[in-house]
Amino acid sequence: MLNIDLNAHVRGESIFINDIPAPVNTVYLTVFYSPEAHGRIKQIITKEAEKIPGVKGIFTAKDIPGRNQVGGIIFDEELLAEGEVNYIGQPVAVVAAVSYSIARNARDKIKIEIEKLSVIIDPREAYEAGKLIISPKVFSCGDTGSAWKDCDVIVDGKAETGSQEHIYMETQSAVAYPVENGGIRILSSTQAPTSVQRAAAEILGIPMNKVEVDVPRIGGGFGGKEDQANSWAALAALVSFKLKCPAKLVLPRNEDITVTGKRHPYTSDFKIGLNKEGKILAYEVVFYQNAGAAADLSPAILDRTLFHAANCYFIPNLKATGLCCRTNVPPNTAFRGFGGPQAMFVIEAAIYKAAEVMGIDPLVIQQKNLLKEGDQFHFGQKAINCTARNCWQSLDSGFNLKAVTNSIKEFNIANPLLKKGMAVMPVCFGISFTNTFMNQASVLVHVYSDGSIGISSAAVEMGQGINSKLRQIASKTLSVDIERLKVESSNTTRVANTSPTAASSSTDLNGKALIISCNILLDRILKSVKADLKLKENSFLELRDEQVLSNGVPTGLTWEEIIRAAFFKRVNLSAQAQYATPGIYFDQETSKGNAFSYHVYGAAIIEATLDCITGIYKIDSVKVVHDFGKSFSLQTDLGQAEGGIVQGLGWMTIEDILYDMSGKIITDSLSNYKIPDIHFVPDEMKIIPLEDSNNPSGIFNSKAIGEPPLMYGIGAFFAIENAMKAFRPGMNTILTAPLTPERVLLALYSKI
Ligand code: MTE
Ligand code: LUZ
Ligand code: MOS
């Protein structure tokens, strides 16, 4: 099944915010940002800027008619800074002019006086200074305290992962239009139309029903537009509201990189205890999350970190502590995996280090401790339909782990300066928003009198293929040709109270709501056919390939005919339905509950070759057995898996976000922040669907796919490290990601 957007994307015909022709009276916005990472605002001087011809207005916090607040979970984030600034790039004022260039010229004339305060960019330092956004969170099971004495080996250490910039192709963008009676209409590049609606309503001091948010599609989000599209849309709304004209704000790339939040860097302390056989008996971990200057989604992300502390391993005694540390960098935010990858890196690092101390292959520990059916996660949920071991076994039988290990050994013996390494990365990722109430979606389906169908849902198309999947789901449920189905833009007036398109759940949630509404429609329509045909009550009518069958026999009636007839009989041809995932709950007090609808499993072999003279490496191959459930859109799902893997590889290897001591980002463009390009992509990426998998909780037995594959990328870190050790066996183990070529080279030739 090909993605419906494919042709238009390739031809450049798809419409993104910046492609929409702007009415002549549109004003163009640019934002004046804090130049300091921490300080008290003494004065903002806009006089000179206001004098520039073409400037229509400059707005600061005092111009906000409603509440100057965009915090999603905690109300700690102003739209425009008022008393204090807390990071470089924090919006302070917004300039509206007849063109972007005039707006930018005017921005350059704005002056700000700031009394500097101390800057913290390191989360451990923030913790020491008492700067926690929420109190420490602990998830635990068993009793680690008493388990240590049963361990034959205890290893502790520190592991760190870096930040990651989303680099969605479409930067943060919004256009706002004033509408009648003090309302506003916003086009936003957001994953969360309802959050944009709520944020704009708050800022303007108007009810949500006066704000309409429309999202035709977005040019990628990757989590970066789950919460952080709100501010830009609210700024456009503010100006449009004030000036009573359309207002457009599209961030230039370097600004987007500089001022928006990214994946949270983590620094963590771990302690792991095992018996002689390699069975993990106890694991303790403390996660210091670098949240940045405001809460944003950090507390929810920290939760997901705690949920994924054990990855796919059964650990009877576990204690995971999460510290949400406030620092003076832009508020970090959702990024594919949502804190899960950070946790998984630490447990893998712990296993790697333990294996080294025990003098065994990490694979032995990994395999021995994989979850089995019915094992309990540390948060109390049982692993049901657990395929962790099936994936590992299929990986071994499909790709022969022994053979891979041996061929690498041989290569390394034969080559003094090139070294190869491999690692296996098993993954277990929970599907559901961990905040239970968010697991809901609704759709509105219209059947038009010619038999064509329009679907509006809570989901946003961001390249992941949700629109194509929704068409498939409706086509299958109604048994009509897929060409009859159109997916409309995501719009808060048509579909209300939406959760963000996130947590890999949009197909499951919206798909289920879609199935319900299609069935409501079918039921109504077939009832009316039944009455028309004067069929007996117990005769069974169904639609198959657009033909009406009665007790399995064709009646000669077609979809178009019955729709036309139903219309004239005044049958309601529209249906709305909501779906809420059943059976999930989580008790925040005890940190226990069935938080997830199900888990996605898989395992990957990653191989890398390292040039030990330059420190440059190549990821040669990623071979995966992935549990897709029963995929109903394998092309789309494979695309998601490949994209996720490459994003994970980039995070672990070459993507290195750096801030200087003043809190200023150093890597502010694509020339100094490197993301994987086509040359970086492994020559071989082979993804085999796990056979005989099933998932009654998914759509047509499928499993969510958006985020889990990213975590296979973690294996690249250990594959490269193994290659390094093949060159320099006594080398100090590095557990700091990204493992950039610079870091590799330094380690290969360091004195100690
Ligand atoms: N794929 C593309 N092409 N673009 C994106 O922005 N976002 C990812 C993933 N795949 C993303 C993507 C993230 S972070 C999530 S949570 C899921 O898609 C969201 O969509 P889904 O719920 O339909 O899987
Ligand atoms: N967003 C959220 C998410 O609010 N809760 C989640 O659990 C989640 N998980 C993944 C991505 N986004
Ligand atoms: Mo994805 S991080 O849930 O947007």
Side-chain angles (χ1 to χ4, degrees):
M1 183 68 213
L2 293 180
N3 189 317
I4 184 183
D5 283 333
L6 208 65
N7 289 326
H9 276 6
V10 171
R11 295 191 189 114
E13 291 168 358
S14 302
I15 306 283
F16 298 90
I17 301 263
N18 210 15
D19 302 317
I20 298 166
V24 281
N25 61 338
T26 302
V27 291
Y28 296 84
L29 310 186
T30 187
V31 179
F32 175 81
Y33 304 105
S34 169
E36 296 293 342
H38 194 196
R40 249 176 235 113
I41 301 177
K42 291 285 157 198
Q43 227 192 137
I44 308 166
I45 307 159
T46 57
K47 264 210 194 71
E48 286 297 304
E50 273 156 14
K51 281 190 219 144
I52 293 183
V55 171
K56 295 288 182 186
I58 298 178
F59 304 92
T60 57
K62 65 178 184 337
D63 300 303
I64 291 173
R67 185 162 168 228
N68 183 15
Q69 187 49 243
V70 287
I73 296 178
I74 294 171
F75 300 134
D76 68 346
E77 191 177 356
E78 293 164 347
L79 176 66
L80 291 168
E82 227 162 335
E84 270 195 14
V85 286
N86 295 297
Y87 64 95
I88 292 175
Q90 185 173 355
V92 175
V94 56
V95 183
V98 296
S99 75
Y100 280 125
S101 62
I102 293 175
R104 281 178 200 140
N105 288 342
R107 176 176 66 179
D108 291 345
K109 296 277 186 295
I110 296 178
K111 296 205 170 55
I112 188 164
E113 273 173 37
I114 293 173
E115 179 194 326
K116 286 197 211 178
L117 296 169
S118 62
V119 173
I120 295 180
I121 54 172
D122 176 63
R124 289 183 190 254
E125 208 181 301
Y127 174 71
E128 292 304 324
K131 291 185 184 291
L132 285 188
I133 290 176
I134 51 167
S135 25
K137 277 203 164 180
V138 179
F139 279 27
S140 67
C141 69
D143 178 8
T144 47
S146 64
W148 299 121
K149 66 175 183 327
D150 303 325
C151 299
D152 298 313
V153 184
I154 296 175
V155 176
D156 59 16
K158 179 171 154 183
E160 299 189 309
T161 49
S163 190
Q164 186 175 27
E165 164 56 41
H166 303 86
I167 314 285
Y168 25 64
M169 290 229 248
E170 180 189 32
T171 56
Q172 300 279 357
S173 316
V175 196
Y177 307 85
V179 296
E180 297 188 327
N181 300 323
I184 199 111
R185 180 177 144 78
I186 304 171
L187 302 184
S188 163
S189 182
T190 179
Q191 293 173 238
T194 295
S195 320
V196 166
Q197 181 191 26
R198 194 183 304 109
E202 282 269 330
I203 293 294
L204 301 181
I206 59 177
M208 285 171 78
N209 67 359
K210 287 200 167 187
V211 182
E212 175 186 354
V213 178
D214 192 86
V215 187
R217 66 157 63 71
I218 69 177
F222 305 111
K225 297 168 182 171
E226 183 171 337
D227 199 63
Q228 297 211 346
N230 291 8
S231 295
W232 318 105
L235 286 171
L238 172 67
V239 174
S240 171
F241 198 70
K242 286 282 185 181
L243 297 179
K244 305 211 177 329
C245 67
K248 180 167 172 174
L249 174 55
V250 176
L251 289 190
R253 176 67 66 186
N254 67 323
E255 261 178 59
D256 191 303
I257 297 179
T258 304
V259 308
T260 66
K262 316 189 187 310
R263 184 187 292 284
H264 294 74
Y266 275 56
T267 168
S268 310
D269 295 321
F270 64 81
K271 182 173 169 189
I272 190 169
L274 309 89
N275 69 12
K276 297 196 280 301
E277 286 76 45
K279 183 115 199 56
I280 304 171
L281 301 181
Y283 178 57
E284 278 184 9
V285 55
V286 181
F287 299 106
Y288 295 81
Q289 178 197 48
N290 188 340
D296 193 271
L297 296 169
S298 299
I301 290 163
L302 192 61
D303 279 348
R304 191 168 278 275
T305 300
L306 297 172
F307 278 110
H308 290 81
N311 187 13
C312 51
Y313 307 111
F314 174 69
I315 305 180
N317 303 287
L318 181 149
K319 183 177 177 207
T321 306
L323 305 168
C324 183
C325 308
R326 196 188 293 278
T327 62
N328 298 109
V329 299
N332 285 315
T333 195
F335 197 136
R336 209 169 192 170
F338 207 74
Q342 288 93 324
M344 292 190 200
F345 179 80
V346 184
I347 181 70
E348 293 302 325
I351 290 173
Y352 188 85
K353 199 163 172 191
E356 204 166 55
V357 170
M358 295 172 76
I360 58 173
D361 194 327
L363 270 62
V364 175
I365 302 179
Q366 288 176 310
Q367 189 179 5
K368 185 157 277 160
N369 292 282
L370 288 173
L371 284 163
K372 319 189 275 302
E373 182 69 15
D375 276 348
Q376 211 164 30
F377 290 99
H378 54 283
F379 47 92
Q381 182 161 2
K382 277 196 174 142
I384 305 293
N385 287 325
C386 173
T387 56
R389 284 166 184 253
N390 313 44
C391 288
W392 184 288
Q393 276 146 20
S394 304
L395 188 76
D396 195 5
S397 55
F399 299 110
N400 196 342
L401 285 171
K402 254 253 128 47
V404 175
T405 314
N406 287 341
S407 80
I408 286 182
K409 270 193 193 128
E410 280 168 28
F411 179 94
N412 288 345
I413 290 168
N415 291 275
L417 299 178
L418 287 180
K419 296 292 178 191
K420 279 188 190 288
M422 70 87 92
V424 174
M425 182 64 201
V427 165
C428 165
F429 193 76
I431 300 302
S432 284
F433 287 93
T434 60
N435 213 335
T436 303
F437 87 90
M438 294 175 82
N439 294 287
Q440 55 175 318
S442 55
V443 305
L444 174 63
V445 181
H446 294 314
V447 181
Y448 295 96
S449 56
D450 65 354
S452 65
I453 302 161
I455 301 171
S456 295
S457 85
V460 169
E461 175 62 62
M462 57 182 114
Q464 88 280 37
I466 180 64
N467 285 0
S468 304
K469 285 190 173 179
L470 290 177
R471 289 174 87 220
Q472 277 184 283
I473 293 165
S475 161
K476 187 160 168 175
T477 309
L478 295 170
S479 205
V480 299
D481 190 305
I482 197 154
E483 294 308 324
R484 291 197 187 274
L485 292 148
K486 178 182 172 212
V487 179
E488 308 287 354
S489 64
S490 314
N491 181 295
T492 54
T493 300
R494 269 178 275 118
V495 178
N497 305 322
T498 67
S499 288
T501 297
S504 309
S505 308
S506 81
T507 304
D508 285 357
L509 298 174
N510 293 276
K512 293 267 173 144
L514 181 57
I515 291 173
I516 298 170
S517 46
C518 287
N519 283 330
I520 293 172
L521 284 166
L522 265 186
D523 196 52
R524 274 191 214 138
I525 295 160
L526 291 178
K527 260 202 188 108
S528 116
V529 175
K530 213 177 217 176
D532 275 354
L533 295 180
K534 303 197 171 58
L535 293 174
K536 282 202 209 83
E537 239 338 281
N538 63 355
S539 56
F540 175 64
L541 268 193
E542 67 187 310
L543 197 71
R544 215 182 285 163
D545 297 333
E546 305 213 339
Q547 304 293 320
V548 180
L549 308 188
S550 172
N551 295 326
V553 183
T555 61
L557 288 172
T558 66
W559 170 255
E560 285 190 13
E561 286 164 354
I562 61 172
I563 293 303
R564 206 174 315 124
F567 172 66
F568 285 114
K569 283 184 68 192
R570 297 183 289 173
V571 173
N572 179 359
L573 292 176
S574 298
Q576 188 269 356
Q578 185 249 21
Y579 174 77
T581 314
I584 49 172
Y585 61 92
F586 189 68
D587 182 344
Q588 289 286 346
E589 294 297 307
T590 58
S591 300
K592 300 277 178 201
N594 285 357
F596 299 110
S597 179
Y598 57 90
H599 283 81
V600 171
Y601 298 90
I605 306 172
I606 293 91
E607 292 171 71
T609 306
L610 172 65
D611 177 335
C612 301
I613 299 293
T614 62
I616 293 171
Y617 44 74
K618 169 96 187 126
I619 310 300
D620 301 318
S621 65
V622 178
K623 297 166 185 159
V624 184
V625 171
H626 183 84
D627 182 359
F628 293 91
K630 288 189 175 35
S631 173
F632 65 91
S633 197
L634 194 60
Q635 289 287 83
T636 310
D637 289 351
L638 288 170
Q640 283 293 291
E642 289 179 3
I645 289 169
V646 173
Q647 223 162 17
L649 293 176
W651 174 52
M652 279 288 115
T653 57
I654 55 172
E655 296 189 41
D656 200 8
I657 291 282
L658 300 169
Y659 294 93
D660 70 15
M661 298 298 283
S662 73
K664 187 174 178 343
I665 190 166
I666 298 168
T667 45
D668 63 350
S669 79
L670 288 165
S671 61
N672 49 29
Y673 179 67
K674 288 297 182 192
I675 64 166
D677 60 10
I678 194 67
H679 304 288
F680 183 91
V681 170
D683 292 339
E684 190 184 0
M685 286 228 269
K686 197 151 184 359
I687 301 159
I688 299 179
L690 178 71
E691 276 176 28
D692 298 325
S693 173
N694 204 11
N695 180 32
S697 308
I699 303 287
F700 311 142
N701 285 304
S702 69
K703 286 195 172 187
I705 183 67
E707 295 167 288
L710 180 135
M711 283 146 273
Y712 296 132
I714 293 172
F717 182 96
F718 298 99
I720 296 168
E721 179 123 0
N722 284 335
M724 292 163 73
K725 295 215 155 146
F727 181 72
R728 187 179 179 184
M731 187 192 89
N732 278 340
T733 299
I734 302 178
L735 297 175
T736 301
L739 197 43
T740 56
E742 294 88 331
R743 196 166 267 146
V744 169
L745 201 58
L746 286 171
L748 289 183
Y749 298 99
S750 68
K751 286 263 160 56
I752 38 155

